[in-house]
Each structure stands twice: as C-alpha cells, then as structure tokens.
Amino acid sequence: VKDLQYRLDVNTLHRDESADALGLNEVGRIRLRATLPLFMDSYRRNRTTGGFILIDEATNRTVGAGMMTGVD
C-alpha cells in the first residue's frame, strides 16, 4: 500500500483524510504500488477482473480486498 487517501465512516460517509491506517472491516481509499504490471479492468466495467484481494506473503492470510477504480 503506497498511500492511504482517506478512511470512510460508513455511518456518516465522512472522509477522514487524517487517518494513517485502516482497521478490521474499515473502508477507505488507497493507492497501491506493484513490482510487476497488474492487468485489471475497472470494477464498473467488469466486476470479476476489477476486484482483488491482498494476501500477507508471510502468513498467507487475507489482509484486504478492493475494487479497481482508476490507474495512474
């Protein structure tokens, strides 16, 4: 994870831009950096190839899930 842009309060839809981490079951917007190119579609275009999960390579546990909304 390169950058956490904001954490979203799902009750009020307030964007907390001062947040520095996401906890269990929290929702936010992040930027990812990959060492290899990722071939993905926008989630709006294709839900199957626009979604992803993040797995901790040390423990093989799922640590997050997301939807691709844009590419820089």
Side-chain angles (χ1 to χ4, degrees), residues 2-63:
K2 181 178 177 182
D3 178 41
L4 171 61
Q5 294 178 333
Y6 59 82
R7 178 176 49 214
L8 185 68
D9 183 330
V10 295
N11 296 314
T12 64
L13 299 180
H14 171 74
R15 295 179 179 186
D16 181 6
E17 295 180 0
S18 65
D20 59 357
L22 292 175
L24 182 63
N25 294 327
E26 288 187 321
V27 176
R29 184 177 198 114
I30 64 168
R31 287 186 185 266
L32 287 176
R33 182 181 60 86
T35 56
L36 297 171
L38 300 175
F39 299 99
M40 301 178 79
D41 291 316
S42 168
Y43 187 80
R44 287 184 178 186
R45 179 178 175 159
N46 188 329
R47 290 174 50 178
T48 302
T49 58
F52 62 91
I53 60 172
L54 297 175
I55 298 175
D56 183 336
E57 63 184 334
T59 64
N60 282 337
R61 291 184 167 207
T62 301
V63 295

